[in-house]
């Protein structure tokens, strides 16, 4: 058997540097190295897509292995098989000769077999007086033996990725079901909340998922759906806690459009002095004895998204793909940053109630920019919320100050 050197094909078949590189990369196996030929074949079948071969190429490889008389690939027993195209076609389930030639070339390009062409291009073997093969010309199965460990690891990796893909799809199915049924239950039972927005987010997340997604696309959709499920559960949990404290006589503070709300219990740790000061500054929003209630200040006007991103560039790192192009992506990024900074869901919902969801997201982005100088992000956001409820807070000066600081920093760097 001719191994250990580069061979060129017979006739019109061209020789390429890729074939040379592939033959050089395949080292001669150790004399005592053996592997079950059908185990290697199963590994090749498992890693078919990564090897870049079709199912018909597997049928041809299966036929080639049947011409090897032993159950194991053993260098001492010879690894060159020399069937004719007619014999190969029969054992490959009647594959046409044109297809057979194309699939044999694909197996060679994938470095699974090597050509050992004779001087006239025919496949045959020289035997000694005892009938043993001394020299054979045909297809060399040595690459299967030399790459057996690599092919086994590749097959295990493909199987693990397939399992991960299946479990990601299962998790996405369960998460979709949870979000769908939670929103439906909230709407049917009249729970307070912006459920139209939640429904539109649910639809848009699924619309971005391709019909035949890959693993990365499924995992990213699962991440977005889990964020939406967390927000829906936060709204429902906050409402249930409020009902337990205040009973059914008050409205849920999580409803962004409700103008007659009550402050809910704070989750951030605070001192008694801070609690006394906050109560003294807390605006009166309950109904007066004469039946009239104080009017809530007008909501803060939203600023252009470009201005916000110029003043708060760090928030873009938490958007989908590391950038933000729409307000919806800013709102989603603010939810992630809110959790990272330790701001409780109730504090963020109160900010949305007082400022509007867009401006609450902008406030979180501003806090992120100054996080090194703020000891309690949750307490700071609550303070901004109370000032907004009294009509004493505007995002404009904060954004202008951050833009000025960023512009000065850029000039110093330049």
């Amino acid at each position: 058997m001719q191994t250990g050197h580069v061979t060129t094909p017979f006739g019109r078949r061209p020789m390429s540097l890729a074939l040379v590189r592939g033959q050089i990369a395949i080292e001669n196996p150790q004399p005592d190295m053996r592997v079950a030929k059908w185990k290697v074949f199963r590994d090749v079948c498992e890693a078919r897509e990564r090897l870049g071969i079709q199912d018909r190429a597997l049928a041809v490889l299966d036929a080639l292995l049947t011409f090897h008389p032993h159950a194991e690939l053993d260098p001492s027993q010879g690894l060159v098989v020399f069937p004719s195209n007619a014999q190969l076609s029969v054992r490959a389930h009647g594959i046409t000769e044109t297809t057979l030639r194309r699939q044999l070339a694909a197996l060679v390009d994938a470095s699974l077999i090597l050509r050992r062409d004779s001087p006239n291009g025919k496949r045959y073997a020289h035997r000694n007086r005892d009938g043993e093969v001394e020299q054979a010309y045909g297809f060399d199965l040595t690459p299967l033996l030399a790459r057996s460990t690599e092919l086994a690891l590749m097959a295990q990796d493909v199987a693990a990725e397939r399992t991960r893909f299946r479990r990601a799809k299962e998790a996405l199915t369960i998460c979709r079901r949870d979000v769908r049924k939670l929103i439906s239950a909230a709407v049917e039972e009249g729970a307070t909340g912006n459920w139209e927005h939640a429904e539109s987010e649910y639809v848009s997340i699924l619309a971005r998922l391709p019909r035949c997604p890959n693993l990365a696309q499924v995992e990213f959709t699962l991440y977005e759906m889990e964020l939406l499920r967390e927000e829906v559960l936060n709204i429902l949990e906050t409402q249930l806690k409020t009902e337990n404290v205040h009973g059914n006589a008050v409205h849920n503070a999580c409803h962004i459009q409700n103008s007659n709300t009550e402050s809910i219990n704070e989750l951030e740790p605070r001192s008694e002095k801070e609690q006394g000061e906050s109560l003294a500054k807390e605006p009166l929003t309950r109904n007066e004895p004469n039946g009239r209630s104080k009017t809530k200040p007008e909501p803060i006007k939203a600023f252009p998204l470009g201005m916000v991103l110029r003043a708060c560039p760090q928030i873009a790192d938490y958007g989908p793909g590391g950038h933000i192009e729409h307000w919806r992506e800013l709102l989603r990024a603010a939810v992630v940053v809110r959790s990272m900074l330790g701001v409780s869901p109730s504090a963020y919902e109160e900010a949305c109630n007082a400022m509007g969801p867009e401006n609450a997201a902008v406030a979180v982005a501003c806090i992120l920019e100054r996080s090194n100088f703020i000891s309690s992000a949750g307490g700071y956001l609550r303070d901004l919320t109370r000032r907004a409820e009294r009509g004493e807070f505007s995002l404009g000066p904060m954004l202008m100050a951050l833009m000025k600081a960023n512009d000065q920093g850029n000039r110093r760097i330049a």
Side-chain angles (χ1 to χ4, degrees):
M1 181 181 61
Q2 298 175 354
T3 59
H5 63 277
V6 175
T7 61
T8 57
F10 170 80
R12 298 180 180 178
R13 290 193 298 269
M15 186 65 182
S16 64
L17 295 181
L19 291 176
V20 175
R21 188 182 304 112
Q23 293 186 39
I24 293 177
I26 298 175
E27 299 179 357
N28 287 331
Q30 299 296 328
D32 58 345
M33 184 178 182
R34 297 177 181 82
V35 64
K37 64 180 182 181
W38 297 120
K39 178 183 181 302
V40 178
F41 178 73
R42 287 193 297 270
D43 293 337
V44 173
C45 293
E46 192 77 32
R48 174 176 65 86
E49 293 184 359
R50 293 196 182 183
L51 293 170
I53 58 177
Q54 301 177 355
D55 51 354
R56 290 191 175 184
L58 295 177
V60 174
L61 181 61
D62 175 78
L64 286 173
L65 289 174
T66 62
F67 286 99
H68 183 68
H70 306 284
E72 293 183 337
L73 298 178
D74 186 352
S76 63
Q77 297 174 342
L79 296 177
V80 177
V81 293
F82 40 92
S84 65
N85 284 350
Q87 292 173 318
L88 265 179
S89 178
V90 170
R91 295 200 186 184
H93 311 291
I95 193 172
T96 63
E97 185 171 348
T98 303
T99 304
L100 177 65
R101 293 179 183 275
R102 186 169 61 251
Q103 300 307 326
L104 284 171
L107 291 173
V108 172
D109 293 339
S111 298
L112 295 176
I113 61 174
L114 293 177
R115 293 184 186 273
R116 302 294 182 189
D117 288 345
S118 65
N120 62 1
K122 301 295 183 179
R123 301 173 199 148
Y124 57 88
H126 294 295
R127 300 179 183 272
N128 57 21
R129 294 182 178 180
D130 297 330
E132 297 177 352
V133 176
E134 290 183 337
Q135 182 73 46
Y137 298 100
F139 298 105
D140 192 349
L141 304 178
T142 301
L144 292 176
L145 176 61
R147 300 181 61 189
S148 59
T149 302
E150 175 194 352
L151 293 172
L153 293 176
M154 190 182 300
Q156 293 175 8
D157 189 41
V158 170
E161 184 175 344
R162 186 183 299 113
T163 301
R164 181 180 171 188
F165 182 60
R166 183 177 65 252
R167 291 179 179 176
K169 290 179 65 176
E170 292 174 353
L172 178 59
T173 300
I174 295 174
C175 192
R176 286 177 57 182
R177 182 184 66 197
D178 292 345
V179 174
R180 176 70 274 168
K181 291 195 173 184
L182 286 171
I183 295 176
S184 299
V187 173
E188 291 174 1
E189 298 184 19
T192 307
N194 194 352
W195 303 117
E196 293 183 0
H197 174 71
E199 177 72 22
S200 64
E201 280 294 307
Y202 174 81
V203 173
S204 64
I205 290 174
L206 294 181
R208 292 192 292 271
L209 183 66
R211 185 172 183 179
C212 298
N214 55 31
L215 176 60
Q217 292 168 333
V218 171
E219 288 182 335
F220 182 73
T221 303
L222 175 60
Y223 168 74
E224 290 187 308
M225 193 65 70
E226 286 176 341
L227 285 179
L228 180 58
R229 179 175 61 182
E230 179 184 355
E231 288 305 303
V232 171
L233 288 174
N234 285 341
I235 295 174
L236 295 176
E237 181 182 1
T238 305
Q239 180 174 347
L240 292 175
K241 288 182 178 180
T242 304
E243 290 177 354
N244 291 336
V245 174
H246 301 287
N248 296 327
V250 295
H251 293 286
N252 189 348
C254 294
H255 197 334
I256 295 175
Q257 298 177 349
N258 189 356
S259 62
N260 185 15
T261 63
E262 287 192 352
S263 175
I264 61 177
N265 294 332
E266 298 181 3
L267 299 183
E268 288 81 13
R270 307 181 63 181
S271 64
E272 295 181 0
K273 179 180 179 182
E274 289 176 325
Q275 291 175 357
E277 291 176 355
S278 65
L279 291 175
K281 296 178 181 179
E282 194 72 29
L284 180 62
T285 57
R286 298 178 176 83
N287 291 334
E288 300 290 346
N290 56 10
R292 291 176 296 180
S293 61
K294 298 189 71 172
T295 304
K296 181 180 176 180
E298 299 221 348
I300 305 171
K301 295 182 180 180
F303 292 87
L305 180 60
M307 177 182 177
V308 174
L309 295 178
R310 181 181 171 190
C312 308
Q314 294 185 40
I315 192 71
D317 297 337
Y318 301 90
H323 62 275
I324 293 175
E325 297 179 354
H326 306 286
W327 276 103
R328 181 180 65 252
E329 296 176 347
L330 178 64
L331 294 176
R332 188 176 296 115
V335 173
V336 178
V337 173
R338 183 270 300 168
S339 177
M340 183 191 70
L341 294 177
V343 178
S344 65
S346 63
Y348 187 64
E349 292 296 340
E350 287 180 0
C352 291
N353 185 38
M355 307 177 191
E358 292 84 2
N359 289 304
V362 174
V364 170
C366 292
I367 294 174
L368 176 63
E369 289 293 322
R370 306 291 293 174
S371 59
N372 292 336
F373 305 96
I374 298 174
S375 59
S376 175
Y380 188 79
L381 182 61
R382 287 189 185 275
D383 182 65
L384 296 182
T385 301
R386 287 193 296 271
R387 290 166 57 189
E389 289 174 344
R390 294 193 297 267
E392 300 174 356
F393 172 66
S394 174
L395 285 169
M398 183 181 294
L399 290 174
M400 294 302 295
L402 289 174
M403 278 198 302
K404 183 178 179 181
N406 291 336
D407 292 341
Q408 290 178 351
N410 292 334
R411 284 198 296 268
R412 285 196 296 268
I413 293 174

